[in-house]
Amino acid sequence: MKDTVMHPEPATVVDHQSKRMLELIGLRKSFGANQVLKGVDLSMNQGEVVSIIGASGSGKSTLLRCINWLETPDKGSTIMVDGRQVGHDDPARASRRDLARRRTEIGMVFQHFNLFPNMTAIENVMEAPLAHGRGTKPEIRALAEELLARVGLSERMTHHPSQLSGGQQQRVAIARALAMKPKLMLFDEVTSALDPELVDEVLKVMKGLAEDGMTMLFVTHEMAFAEDVSDRIIFMADGAILEEGPPSEVLRKPRHDRTRSFLSRAMRGM
Amino acid sequence: MSFDPTLIVEAWPQLMRGLETTVWLFLAVMILCTPLSLLVALARLSRRRWLSRAAGTYVNVIRALPLLVILFFTFYGLPSLGIFVSPFTAALGGMVLVTTAYLAEDLRAGLMAVPRGQFEAADALGLPQARFVRRVLIPQALPIMCGPYFTRAIVTVKATSIASLVAVSELTSASMAKVTETYRAMEYLAFAAVAYILLSALIAVVQAVVQRRVRLP
Ligand SMILES: Nc1ncnc2c1ncn2[C@@H]1O[C@H](COP(=O)(O)OP(=O)(O)OP(=O)(O)O)[C@@H](O)[C@H]1O
Ligand SMILES: [Mg+2]
């Protein structure tokens, strides 16, 4: 069967060792005079799945993009991944080479996939491990084949992105991010650009990852999915975390009016 | 007025030598300018301030000067500094200086047309910059660069005629030599015109071939 999502092992790795995978301390980000993140503190344990929800412009994407320094955080912000700081408190002193190395520990999947259109699916997946010398070419090819099989794309390995549907492209993008064996995965509205009928195949892959014990932080508008897979939901408003807790609380019994009114709009039809 | 094609036949060896020089000058300019202009374009886009400034200054200064003035510099100026080169080399040097500046701007536009998301994806994967440039940026910029690149090549093939003013016996110069020698203009100028047209046509053919090869799948 083509293009079906293969579920790897059943969820076995849900051990609750409380290893800190991500820690944000006083994360601030300004674009000129506009402070978009106003001191965000957040920590995630290994294997935890956290969803960020919130109105457009509340700073969700910026938060994710600061974690791997796609946006440079303001001076004084601290980002720790797996117990080690990413970048530097003083952005002027962050080294590009060091950042590149740390970014391999952080997988990111984008709303618009951002696959390399000049490469086939498998070449996209192999590119980063090859660049970082993560083994011989045959080893890396084997890894890429395994990852593409895992996202249900064994039959599409030599297709170029332009020959793939949006859902398939996004699954390649997930495999590409996984190829560096990241410790943490970031997903920024990865199904928002997809036709509705293609959303589920991508969510299924993400759910499989969550069940495998991947530490995942995602921004989503898919409330049902967030409720289903998240250990914790964060509601952001105006560049700060307004409310956080298990889905059963934040989504079902929100404490703040703003969360409630956001949810009443977002969960319409749920 | 009569048009006497036998004049062209008689002057054939001289005219062909001129054409040959034009072709060599053109090829040498393009072969040198292609990598140089790519480097200048990348430098202009570099995050290192001093590098992009230096590249920008070079482009803007050179772009502001007439080609002929620059060729006079390399032809008359260099010897006055004690550097003696052949007219061909002087013309080549001047043309490389100028064409690199223009071509760098053409190529930069191609590089800038690659979507931001590609840079971000590469950053997120921690791809080293040189590898990103080689494996992602240039392959995607090539199809966009093709048109402007070959247009610049055609401009350059015609610009080689200016080398005739600094003692290079290229196509225009060889044709004009016959014109002043025989007081017959049409025949030799017709030869030159047809030769330039054929060269441009040839470049257009190469463009079509290259464009097909660099197209994104
Ligand atoms: N590169 C930038 N330059 C200037 N302002 C920016 C930039 N990126 C984001 N912003 C601003 O930061 C604020 C937060 O943007 P962000 O994209 O993080 O919001 P978001 O919560 O992800 O919204 P959405 O749900 O629409 O994706 C917005 O006001 C936006 O205009
Ligand atoms: Mg966003």
Side-chain angles (χ1 to χ4, degrees):
Chain A
M1 222 170 84
K2 279 197 249 174
D3 288 0
T4 43
V5 177
M6 303 203 322
H7 277 292
E9 300 305 303
T12 48
V13 212
V14 196
D15 55 0
H16 285 282
Q17 38 176 265
S18 53
K19 186 179 181 195
R20 273 287 149 80
M21 246 342 172
L22 175 70
E23 183 142 36
L24 308 178
I25 306 162
L27 173 57
R28 289 182 173 75
K29 172 65 186 174
S30 308
F31 293 105
N34 179 20
Q35 192 175 48
V36 171
L37 295 179
K38 299 174 177 157
V40 173
D41 299 304
L42 170 68
S43 49
M44 283 175 68
N45 288 340
Q46 185 167 36
E48 212 179 353
V49 176
V50 175
S51 304
I52 304 176
I53 60 172
S56 180
S58 56
K60 307 180 298 292
S61 296
T62 306
L63 175 66
L64 244 56
R65 293 162 57 81
C66 279
I67 293 174
N68 64 357
W69 278 61
L70 281 190
E71 302 289 355
T72 307
D74 290 352
K75 200 169 172 169
S77 308
T78 303
I79 295 156
M80 311 276 286
V81 169
D82 196 20
R84 284 164 55 233
Q85 183 162 9
V86 179
H88 198 285
D89 287 338
D90 179 1
R93 297 180 57 190
S95 103
R96 277 190 60 84
R97 185 171 305 176
D98 175 59
L99 267 183
R101 208 171 322 113
R102 295 309 308 281
R103 280 169 172 157
T104 65
E105 298 170 18
I106 308 165
M108 186 172 221
V109 184
F110 301 87
Q111 183 175 354
H112 296 288
F113 333 132
N114 298 351
L115 290 177
F116 304 133
N118 55 313
M119 300 181 195
T120 62
I122 192 162
E123 285 167 349
N124 265 278
V125 178
M126 291 172 68
E127 184 57 22
L130 281 176
H132 291 276
R134 291 279 180 94
T136 64
K137 202 160 181 183
E139 285 165 359
I140 291 171
R141 178 173 296 277
L143 168 73
E145 284 171 359
E146 186 190 313
L147 287 170
L148 284 170
R150 183 169 174 182
V151 299
L153 289 173
S154 291
E155 316 282 324
R156 294 282 187 279
M157 292 198 290
T158 55
H159 286 58
H160 281 86
S162 60
Q163 303 164 313
L164 298 172
S165 73
Q168 292 169 335
Q169 288 185 60
Q170 195 57 295
R171 285 183 281 148
V172 174
I174 293 172
R176 179 176 69 173
L178 290 173
M180 289 309 291
K181 305 209 164 85
K183 296 171 174 168
L184 167 70
M185 288 280 287
L186 308 172
F187 298 84
D188 190 0
E189 291 194 39
V190 296
T191 57
S192 296
L194 298 177
D195 292 337
E197 71 272 21
L198 302 177
V199 167
D200 279 346
E201 60 189 62
V202 173
L203 295 184
K204 243 186 202 163
V205 167
M206 291 167 66
K207 185 166 178 175
L209 268 179
E211 286 168 353
D212 270 4
M214 177 60 78
T215 313
M216 296 162 68
L217 178 59
F218 50 77
V219 172
T220 186
H221 288 152
E222 301 281 339
M223 293 302 157
F225 177 70
E227 179 164 32
D228 181 24
V229 302
S230 309
D231 299 306
R232 194 151 42 108
I233 303 235
I234 287 175
F235 177 71
M236 276 186 76
D238 296 333
I241 294 176
L242 189 64
E243 190 162 343
E244 74 175 291
S248 55
E249 285 174 21
V250 177
L251 294 182
R252 298 297 167 184
K253 289 174 283 190
R255 277 175 289 131
H256 288 265
D257 284 344
R258 289 189 69 170
T259 319
R260 213 167 294 131
S261 72
F262 171 79
L263 287 172
S264 73
R265 269 173 284 124
M267 292 175 75
R268 200 168 291 152
M270 242 186 85
Chain B
M1 257 305 281
S2 65
F3 188 90
D4 182 1
T6 59
L7 288 176
I8 298 175
V9 178
E10 281 160 24
W12 193 257
Q14 271 162 283
L15 295 173
M16 286 309 282
R17 264 200 303 283
L19 175 57
E20 219 173 282
T21 304
T22 290
V23 170
W24 283 123
L25 183 56
F26 164 70
L27 287 177
V29 170
M30 293 311 290
I31 286 168
L32 291 170
C33 284
T34 302
L36 287 175
S37 58
L38 189 57
L39 290 178
V40 173
L42 289 168
R44 282 208 80 176
L45 297 175
S46 168
R47 266 174 269 224
R48 290 184 197 102
R49 259 303 164 68
W50 63 268
L51 191 57
S52 67
R53 287 245 177 93
T57 306
Y58 160 72
V59 167
N60 286 319
V61 169
I62 295 296
R63 228 169 26 166
L65 297 170
L67 174 59
L68 185 55
V69 171
I70 290 186
L71 290 195
F72 282 158
F73 261 110
T74 53
F75 184 72
Y76 296 110
L78 289 182
S80 73
L81 298 173
I83 302 166
F84 297 94
V85 293
S86 71
F88 184 89
T89 309
L92 175 61
M95 286 195 68
V96 166
L97 209 58
V98 174
T99 307
T100 297
Y102 288 116
L103 202 49
E105 285 299 274
D106 296 334
L107 300 192
R108 183 168 71 108
L111 295 173
M112 291 199 319
V114 174
R116 247 178 75 104
Q118 296 290 306
F119 291 76
E120 296 189 345
D123 275 346
L125 291 167
L127 287 194
Q129 199 158 24
R131 184 163 177 118
F132 167 70
V133 168
R134 184 165 55 83
R135 300 264 304 160
V136 179
L137 186 58
I138 291 177
Q140 288 182 52
L142 279 180
I144 312 167
M145 288 169 169
C146 247
Y149 177 87
F150 285 101
T151 300
R152 189 64 59 194
I154 289 174
V155 171
T156 304
V157 97
K158 294 180 296 174
T160 54
S161 67
I162 298 201
S164 65
L165 298 172
V166 291
V168 177
S169 316
E170 43 62 75
L171 178 56
T172 300
S173 164
S175 309
M176 284 312 292
K178 292 308 289 182
V179 172
T180 45
E181 185 186 315
T182 61
Y183 296 100
R184 303 276 303 208
M186 281 310 285
E187 289 79 1
Y188 305 114
L189 292 179
F191 174 87
V194 169
Y196 282 119
I197 289 169
L198 288 178
L199 287 177
S200 293
L202 203 61
I203 292 171
V205 170
V206 174
Q207 171 176 4
V209 172
V210 172
Q211 211 138 33
R212 212 167 314 122
R213 295 214 34 197
V214 301
R215 203 169 35 199
L216 288 179

